[in-house]
Amino acid sequence: MAAAEVSNKGVILKQFVTGCPTEDDLELVTGVVRLAVPPGSASVMVKNLYVSCDPYMRNRMSEHNEASYIEQFVPGEVLATFSVGRVVASGHPNFKSGDLVWGMSGCEEYTLITDPESLFKINHPELPLSYYTGVLGMAGLTAYAGFFDVSKPKQGDYVFISSALGAVGQLVGQLAKITGCYVVGSAGSDEKVNLLKTKFGFDDAFNYKKEEDLNAALKRCFPQGIDIYFENVGGAMLAAVLPNMRMNGRITVCGMISQYNLEQPNGAPNLFCLVAKRIRMEGFMVLDYFGTYNKFEEEIAGYLKEGKISVVEDVAEGIENVSTALIGLFSGHNIGKQLVTIAHE
């Protein structure tokens, strides 16, 4: 019996972006896809249920003269992103029709995944499937690996997290509280600050947009200094953090969203603090930790079921709203993990 052909809407990059991206840089297109895999191939056809919008995608929208850690998007092609989906056809022995999976897919309704080794089976379908775009997916593993493996926290540490209500920051803060740390976060609105303190249990938080002096804000929140800075922002925030670090502090560099739209990134003043205070500043890539995923999934799923971890998601509805949701990330429009529902089952 011949496989069905169905309409397949997707979002493409129209041209490379310089400066701040806009919705005009993206376009919703409609194609046709056959719900089958090529004969003899080990590919998997996935129906995408949720797609993730993440800050790192901005880097992929620009043309790079030098090699980056991840390939740039190709103008005219569907954007790649992490998704949650259901297998509708498979030539791979480890996946069968009906399996729920998450992994790298496309901003479209159906995706043929030619490298299914990169997919993860969903082992806790009793939890909201959307969590696998965030707290149980790439962002969650980023938070877990960055905090425990790179930051190396100790009970009683003073922890500061920038962009703390994002998909990564909200989990880092809660893991820090579970570890017994004192936790402060920064965010870009009073609503976000309130959520950090009331829903996520941060000891303190501040709206960086209302602070005339970030250095003074950090001294107010950390009169004793900072042991761990989980860096998501860069720029002025990093410059203010460095003098407020304690001796032998750790700066874990996860991202620098304040720099992504700049044609000429800001310099980094106060770097001599790394020397004077014996600070370790280290970047990391979540791709290096995919081998630890199963351990992470079980631990975080347990915390979720026990009510020890909360989640805030910002869910847009429909493939036609991917562009708005993605571009909104770079102005702080989202409240929590940004994702888009593509299909309901």
Side-chain angles (χ1 to χ4, degrees):
M1 186 175 180
E5 275 195 352
V6 297
S7 169
N8 189 27
K9 293 178 181 176
V11 178
I12 66 167
L13 180 70
K14 290 164 65 176
Q15 65 269 320
F16 286 123
V17 175
T18 5
C20 294
T22 70
E23 291 182 45
D24 290 337
D25 295 312
L26 306 173
E27 183 180 359
L28 181 67
V29 298
T30 303
V32 175
V33 66
R34 187 179 296 277
L35 299 184
V37 298
S41 84
S43 301
V44 171
M45 178 66 73
V46 171
K47 177 182 182 180
N48 293 311
L49 305 178
Y50 301 95
V51 297
S52 180
C53 297
D54 298 293
Y56 82 91
M57 296 171 72
R58 172 61 189 85
N59 183 57
R60 303 189 71 180
M61 294 180 187
S62 294
E63 188 171 21
H64 301 292
N65 295 322
E66 297 181 8
S68 179
Y69 71 93
I70 192 168
E71 291 181 358
Q72 62 199 28
F73 289 139
V74 178
E77 294 188 4
V78 168
L79 303 182
T81 187
F82 287 94
S83 82
V84 172
R86 187 179 294 279
V87 175
V88 295
S90 174
H92 196 283
N94 293 344
F95 299 96
K96 64 182 188 300
S97 183
D99 283 348
L100 288 166
V101 295
W102 77 270
M104 187 59 75
S105 186
C107 284
E108 58 188 346
E109 293 172 298
Y110 295 91
T111 302
L112 180 67
I113 297 174
T114 56
D115 179 25
E117 299 295 342
S118 64
L119 293 176
F120 296 91
K121 284 188 179 179
I122 288 174
N123 294 310
H124 290 278
E126 70 279 8
L127 292 168
L129 292 179
S130 60
Y131 284 8
Y132 283 87
T133 68
V135 66
L136 286 170
M138 183 273 291
L141 183 58
T142 300
Y144 185 90
F147 187 61
F148 289 119
D149 193 71
V150 183
S151 302
K152 300 191 183 329
K154 302 185 297 292
Q155 184 176 1
D157 275 346
Y158 295 94
V159 177
F160 175 53
I161 305 157
S162 55
S163 192
L165 198 71
V168 173
Q170 62 179 256
L171 182 55
V172 172
Q174 292 177 93
L175 293 174
K177 289 303 299 178
I178 290 170
T179 305
C181 301
Y182 181 86
V183 183
V184 177
S186 64
S189 74
D190 292 343
E191 179 185 3
K192 293 179 180 181
V193 166
N194 183 59
L195 281 168
L196 290 174
K197 294 194 282 190
T198 58
K199 188 172 183 68
F200 295 119
F202 280 50
D203 296 287
D204 203 352
F206 63 88
N207 180 350
Y208 72 90
K209 292 180 180 177
K210 287 189 168 181
E211 299 289 346
E212 294 183 5
D213 184 340
L214 291 174
N215 182 56
L218 291 168
K219 288 189 185 305
R220 182 181 74 238
C221 293
F222 293 102
Q224 66 292 92
I226 301 166
D227 290 300
I228 294 172
Y229 173 40
F230 202 94
E231 165 70 298
N232 292 307
V233 170
M237 187 65 79
L238 175 60
V241 164
L242 282 163
N244 286 284
M245 293 295 294
R246 300 180 82 183
M247 195 71 71
N248 301 118
R250 287 88 76 202
I251 298 176
T252 298
V253 185
C254 177
M256 292 192 172
I257 196 169
S258 73
Q259 306 299 293
Y260 296 164
N261 293 326
L262 303 180
E263 293 186 43
Q264 185 62 45
N266 297 138
N270 300 326
L271 281 180
F272 192 75
C273 293
L274 299 176
V275 179
K277 298 189 177 187
R278 290 75 156 175
I279 297 165
R280 176 172 56 83
M281 185 173 180
E282 182 177 352
F284 72 103
M285 292 297 305
V286 68
L287 305 176
D288 298 334
Y289 292 92
F290 277 175
T292 68
Y293 177 73
N294 288 337
K295 174 181 179 294
F296 153 81
E297 182 189 24
E298 290 307 309
E299 186 171 339
I300 300 302
Y303 285 146
L304 287 164
K305 292 175 183 180
E306 294 165 11
K308 292 183 177 178
I309 286 178
S310 297
V311 177
V312 169
E313 296 177 318
D314 193 323
V315 186
E317 187 71 32
I319 186 74
E320 64 276 6
N321 287 311
V322 166
S323 298
T324 302
L326 179 57
I327 298 305
L329 280 177
F330 306 108
S331 58
H333 177 77
N334 58 303
I335 306 289
K337 166 61 195 170
Q338 183 67 68
L339 65 130
V340 182
T341 303
I342 304 301
H344 292 277
E345 289 195 335

